[in-house]
Amino acid sequence: MSTDSSTAEVEVVVEPEYLEARSSPENNVYVFAYRVRITNQGKRSMRLISRHWIITDDQGHTEEVRGMGVVGAQPHLGPGDSFSYMSFCPLNTPVGTMAGSYQMVTDQGEEFEAPIPEFSLIIPSLVN
């Protein structure tokens, strides 16, 4: 299941996946991968500068992650361009959520945030 969000200029689509082979439920370790596609829907070129994630497990524990770029890159997106990457998130519970934002800057120097839609991290055996 994918989740998407868009501003007037940026569309963000996220597809999460449970990684059973990397997880260890008996040790309360549940690992999820997520693929992100960021598309410049505007008329101006821009660069992704940094990210801010809010990760929440089903016990209400929240962790915030901030960092420069994504997977070691600060992609430049011209009008119509997309950038995709895959990353992962370990949780201590079989259910959680992620959401956040990307900090962007246009070639003209205008800074803005592109929201990352909240999406669920849930092991398949719990999905009805």
Side-chain angles (χ1 to χ4, degrees):
M1 181 175 111
S2 68
T3 305
D4 63 70
S5 174
S6 60
T7 64
E9 294 188 272
V10 179
E11 176 187 51
V12 178
V13 177
V14 182
E15 297 177 20
E17 174 187 357
Y18 177 58
L19 299 179
E20 184 175 5
R22 293 191 60 188
S23 298
S24 178
E26 62 277 3
N27 295 314
N28 294 320
V29 176
Y30 303 88
V31 180
F32 297 86
Y34 54 93
R35 178 175 299 283
V36 180
R37 187 181 76 242
I38 305 160
T39 303
N40 179 351
Q41 300 183 130
K43 294 179 175 22
R44 304 181 294 173
S45 295
M46 62 187 68
R47 182 172 305 282
L48 187 155
I49 300 300
S50 61
R51 68 193 183 284
H52 174 216
W53 286 106
I54 301 167
I55 305 162
T56 306
D57 68 20
D58 70 349
Q59 295 179 348
H61 176 260
T62 298
E63 180 181 349
E64 292 195 45
V65 177
R66 295 177 188 272
M68 298 304 291
V70 290
V71 294
Q74 290 183 320
H76 185 267
L77 302 169
D81 288 348
S82 291
F83 178 80
S84 295
Y85 72 95
M86 182 170 260
S87 193
F88 70 95
C89 173
L91 287 180
N92 294 323
T93 62
V95 177
T97 61
M98 289 180 69
S101 61
Y102 295 117
Q103 291 65 54
M104 311 291 290
V105 62
T106 67
D107 287 358
Q108 294 74 33
E110 181 185 338
E111 297 181 8
F112 68 98
E113 286 194 357
I116 303 168
E118 182 176 277
F119 57 96
S120 295
L121 304 171
I122 185 167
I123 64 172
S125 64
L126 296 179
V127 177
N128 292 330

